[in-house]
Amino acid sequence: AQSVTQLDSQVPVFEEAPVELRCNYSSSVSVYLFWYVQYPNQGLQLLLKYLSGSTLVESINGFEAEFNKSQTSFHLRKPSVHISDTAEYFCAVTSISNFGNEKLTFGTGTRLTIIP
Amino acid sequence: DVKVTQSSRYLVKRTGEKVFLECVQDMDHENMFWYRQDPGLGLRLIYFSYDVKMKEKGDIPEGYSVSREKKERFSLILESASTNQTSMYLCASRVSGIYNEQFFGPGTRLTVL
């Protein structure tokens, strides 16, 4: 079984300040990791994902996440946030298997609020 | 452009009614999913479908059923709606493969009175 923990349900940050959204996972096998973002009144969309290779992955809008196997973490960071980053962020994990159709397990989400 | 549409953005039903939530994708994706989203609980998987006429229970299937007669359409059915099924329902689809992105619809906010 796999699980995801997002300890921070809400994170308020001043505009242009850095932010880190924490994600820890639990799995007995190797995993793929994802961050999805949900802007107000919209569905979720993929922000970035870790499958293999470099442990640091980046998105097109300045977010990055680092896969840390020893700490079972996949924290999301941005050095300088913008008002448009206001959204709810979901970390998700899936275990690598032979079936090819495994489901995603989502965390409970972190609501990021940018303060002008 | 990738598109997942859901039949209603807002829906109000009465306890005991049979409710149909429809989801359509135009990307020829094999896999489709139904989630419910509740504050503090995140997204929880209700059912998913590997392909046409195939379905698997997710984490919280009780009180729900699904239908997938055509590749592009995945329906969620509440046989007898109850107040504890008041929630946001999200549909998603993806190309087969666990590493592939899921594309989500805008959601249906269902209220059961």
Side-chain angles (χ1 to χ4, degrees), chain A residues 10-106:
Chain A
Q10 297 189 57
V11 174
V13 180
F14 285 104
E15 194 172 13
E16 298 183 4
V19 69
E20 177 179 85
L21 307 183
R22 296 181 293 170
C23 172
N24 288 88
Y25 69 91
S26 173
S27 176
S28 57
V29 298
S30 296
V31 296
Y32 295 139
L33 293 156
F34 305 79
W35 276 100
Y36 279 80
V37 58
Q38 185 178 33
Y39 297 107
N41 299 314
Q42 295 184 27
L44 279 71
Q45 53 188 277
L46 181 67
L47 188 61
L48 48 75
K49 63 183 178 182
Y50 170 77
L51 303 181
S52 64
S54 173
T55 56
L56 186 66
V57 291
E58 299 177 353
S59 72
I60 58 173
N61 58 353
F63 281 94
E64 64 180 30
E66 186 160 19
F67 170 57
N68 189 319
K69 189 174 182 179
S70 62
Q71 297 187 6
T72 60
S73 67
F74 191 54
H75 301 329
L76 182 69
R77 302 184 182 96
K78 189 171 186 180
S80 177
V81 295
H82 189 267
I83 289 286
S84 60
D85 295 323
T86 295
E88 190 154 19
Y89 293 79
F90 293 91
C91 183
V93 64
T94 187
S95 298
I96 298 168
S97 75
N98 295 327
F99 298 107
N101 282 302
E102 278 292 342
K103 59 184 183 181
L104 278 182
T105 298
F106 285 87

Side-chain angles (χ1 to χ4, degrees), chain B:
Chain B
D1 205 14
V2 166
K3 196 93 172 161
V4 178
T5 57
Q6 296 184 228
S7 50
S8 306
R9 290 302 303 268
Y10 300 94
L11 207 53
V12 180
K13 296 292 181 180
R14 297 209 174 271
T15 301
E17 278 193 78
K18 190 168 186 176
V19 181
F20 292 87
L21 302 183
E22 304 285 341
C23 175
V24 178
Q25 50 97 2
D26 64 357
M27 298 163 285
D28 202 35
H29 286 170
E30 294 86 5
N31 301 167
M32 295 188 76
F33 306 82
W34 274 107
Y35 297 90
R36 63 177 283 176
Q37 181 181 11
D38 299 287
L41 297 177
L43 274 74
R44 292 179 292 167
L45 183 65
I46 304 171
Y47 267 98
F48 62 107
S49 170
Y50 291 124
D51 211 328
V52 178
K53 296 190 186 295
M54 299 174 72
K55 59 186 179 185
E56 290 283 339
K57 292 181 179 179
D59 299 318
I60 52 164
E62 296 78 20
Y64 304 94
S65 62
V66 291
S67 173
R68 190 151 180 221
E69 295 298 317
K70 293 185 178 181
K71 193 173 188 178
E72 67 270 19
R73 188 180 299 270
F74 192 35
S75 303
L76 180 70
I77 304 155
L78 286 67
E79 295 290 341
S80 178
S82 64
T83 55
N84 62 13
Q85 292 179 310
T86 291
S87 186
M88 171 70 84
Y89 289 88
L90 293 171
C91 174
S93 73
R94 74 171 183 206
V95 172
S96 184
I98 58 175
Y99 42 81
N100 287 319
E101 176 181 358
Q102 289 191 21
F103 292 89
F104 284 81
T108 296
R109 185 166 294 282
L110 172 67
T111 302
V112 182
L113 302 175

